[in-house]
Amino acid sequence: MEEKQNNKIYLRFNSIPENVGLARLLVAAVAANADITMSQLEEIKVSVSEAVSNAIIHGYANEVENDVELTVELKDNILQVQVIDQGVGIEDIEKAMEATFSTDSDRMGLGFAFMQSFMDNVEVISSPGAGTTVILTKRLSAGGQ
């Protein structure tokens, strides 16, 4: 039986929009080492983009002098991604996760809806003034299950 490759990477980066792409690439590179379909890879990239964008836009109100932490772990074909900010936090997580809810009137509020649709599990840990942790989990398989 072939042994599965496990990997864990931690990265801390500035809260600038350009780093959303960096986070996507890093997670995609780790996930691509697993049994994965192109469809799964795209779903993961969208989910990571949404989580990191939320940290920058909502957590830090686009203030660039802050840090976003990203942990990516691939273990036994299960990908887990954590996106952590030390920003304003979320007052009502349940409401924030409703489709079309946004604290920014210029945004559609579909970030969490995409994450929940594309990942097997989305956990949000947050409280006002204490930042937010988003944990995305996806079981990877060649069959796309």
Side-chain angles (χ1 to χ4, degrees):
M1 181 174 193
E2 185 179 322
E3 189 174 316
K4 293 182 169 107
Q5 182 177 5
N6 297 329
N7 195 5
K8 184 173 185 177
I9 296 175
Y10 170 81
L11 179 67
R12 190 164 83 196
F13 52 87
N14 291 114
S15 57
I16 59 174
E18 293 81 1
N19 284 337
V20 173
L22 174 66
R24 279 173 63 104
L25 286 173
L26 177 64
V27 174
V30 173
N33 288 312
D35 228 358
I36 190 169
T37 65
M38 289 306 293
S39 175
Q40 285 179 318
L41 188 59
E42 287 306 311
E43 291 172 352
I44 291 164
K45 288 166 45 178
V46 168
S47 298
V48 169
S49 294
E50 293 294 339
V52 173
S53 293
N54 280 354
I56 294 169
I57 294 165
H58 301 290
Y60 292 132
N62 291 308
E63 294 175 359
V64 299
E65 65 276 356
N66 298 292
D67 290 332
V68 176
E69 298 175 50
L70 176 72
T71 303
V72 185
E73 184 172 17
L74 178 62
K75 186 174 182 179
D76 300 326
N77 265 8
I78 296 174
L79 179 73
Q80 186 174 80
V81 179
Q82 289 189 39
V83 178
I84 303 170
D85 70 64
Q86 302 302 318
V88 299
I90 300 172
E91 191 170 320
D92 185 341
I93 294 171
E94 193 174 314
K95 182 141 186 84
M97 293 182 78
E98 290 176 6
T100 71
F101 175 82
S102 180
T103 58
D104 182 339
S105 61
D106 292 336
R107 305 227 166 253
M108 294 191 311
L110 296 173
F112 281 126
F114 284 138
M115 287 182 244
Q116 290 173 314
S117 171
F118 294 152
M119 303 301 283
D120 293 325
N121 190 53
V122 177
E123 182 180 358
V124 180
I125 304 161
S126 186
S127 58
T132 301
T133 298
V134 176
I135 304 168
L136 307 169
T137 306
K138 185 156 187 89
R139 178 173 292 284
L140 307 177
S141 66
Q145 302 299 316

